[in-house]
Amino acid sequence: MKYKYSLFKKQVESVVKVADNVYVLSFLRDFNFRAGQIIALDLEEAGEPRMYNIASGENEKYIEILFDEKDDGRLTPPLSILQHGDIIYVSEPFGNFQCGNENAWWIAAGTGVSPFASMARSGLATNKELIHGGRLAENFYFSDFFEKEMNSKYIRCSSIQKSPEFFNGRLTLWLQNQQNLPVDYLFYLCGSAEMVVQVRDILISKGIPFQHIISETYF
């Protein structure tokens, strides 16, 4: 089934490799959006686009999309070799995975950190704690920004690389080790469907009300 939203022509500003098989694509922002929203993107106006979370701030000059290149993918291998001035097609932003100024934890795996990068870059990092799971140091995307913006409220959980800078283990293990989670906070989850289910179950087992858990399977 073809995607029902209209797609609009944009020119690529840049495609930058940030880790093994992971890239940030940018293009000039000429629309407004809310941090946490999604756009659909394709190389053909009448194609079948894929959805991607916006990673840039609401007031920044460029829209940034963080994506993981899949060897067997239809779209991401061609996206990774685009150059300045190449044409892509994107939809208007949509989605309701949005956060305000409330006390909250952000929990992300891999490229699922994109909506939280957008939120933090839009001035919403106050009263937040970010727990980010990744395999290696290079997989903690936007870490320089998060370290500066969130300090000790930014926690990296590395499943492979041992380092005193990280929690050595999966983010699910870090969560299991926590006692007295703040039950009056909201918990925003973004990652694979498996990760979201596992984290939700852990949070509920520790007394977090189901209605305080807001989740999105990453795009």
Side-chain angles (χ1 to χ4, degrees):
M1 179 177 176
K2 289 187 179 297
Y3 193 69
K4 63 181 180 180
Y5 291 88
S6 298
L7 300 180
F8 303 93
K9 181 188 294 186
K10 309 292 181 184
Q11 282 192 333
V12 171
E13 174 63 23
S14 66
V15 177
V16 178
K17 187 174 185 178
V18 295
D20 188 27
N21 294 324
V22 181
Y23 301 81
V24 173
L25 180 151
S26 65
F27 60 91
L28 188 67
R29 180 177 68 86
D30 59 359
F31 55 77
N32 295 324
F33 70 95
R34 294 288 304 277
Q37 288 192 304
I38 298 162
I39 59 170
L41 185 153
D42 206 333
L43 294 173
E44 302 175 10
E45 185 175 11
E48 297 182 10
R50 301 291 186 264
M51 273 68 79
Y52 294 94
N53 290 103
I54 297 172
S56 45
E58 293 175 344
N59 297 315
E60 293 179 358
K61 183 176 181 179
Y62 296 101
I63 296 292
E64 291 186 355
I65 302 298
L66 177 69
F67 69 91
D68 191 349
E69 182 184 15
K70 303 295 185 184
D71 291 339
D72 58 349
R74 179 188 67 83
L75 184 60
T76 54
L79 281 183
S80 69
I81 60 173
L82 291 176
Q83 298 182 6
H84 176 78
D86 286 342
I87 299 300
I88 56 175
Y89 294 88
V90 304
S91 73
E92 294 181 345
F94 61 97
N96 298 310
F97 188 69
Q98 296 166 26
C99 181
N101 294 315
E102 69 273 12
N103 294 324
W105 281 23
W106 297 336
I107 303 174
T111 57
V113 79
S114 291
F116 304 128
S118 181
M119 293 172 188
R121 293 163 74 174
S122 300
L124 297 173
T126 303
N127 304 321
K128 307 299 189 299
E129 186 157 333
L130 170 61
I131 300 92
H132 188 194
R135 298 174 69 249
L136 304 169
E138 68 175 11
N139 301 128
F140 297 116
Y141 314 114
F142 311 108
S143 61
D144 288 346
F145 173 80
F146 286 127
E147 285 186 290
K148 181 179 179 181
E149 189 74 15
M150 304 185 75
N151 299 306
S152 63
K153 298 296 186 181
Y154 172 49
I155 297 168
R156 291 170 287 182
C157 303
S158 175
S159 60
I160 293 180
Q161 184 171 337
K162 305 297 183 183
S163 170
E165 298 180 6
F166 313 143
F167 172 79
N168 296 313
R170 296 179 181 275
L171 69 84
T172 48
L173 179 60
W174 185 89
L175 286 168
Q176 288 169 343
N177 290 343
Q178 304 309 301
Q179 303 297 323
N180 302 317
L181 295 183
V183 297
D184 55 336
Y185 281 33
L186 295 180
F187 290 77
Y188 291 81
L189 322 180
C190 189
S192 68
E194 180 182 15
M195 169 269 188
V196 166
V197 170
Q198 289 177 348
V199 170
R200 183 189 294 134
D201 288 347
I202 292 169
L203 294 177
I204 291 173
S205 74
K206 290 182 173 291
I208 303 302
F210 178 81
Q211 63 269 25
H212 285 191
I213 303 171
I214 301 101
S215 63
E216 178 167 85
T217 301
Y218 62 27
F219 294 102

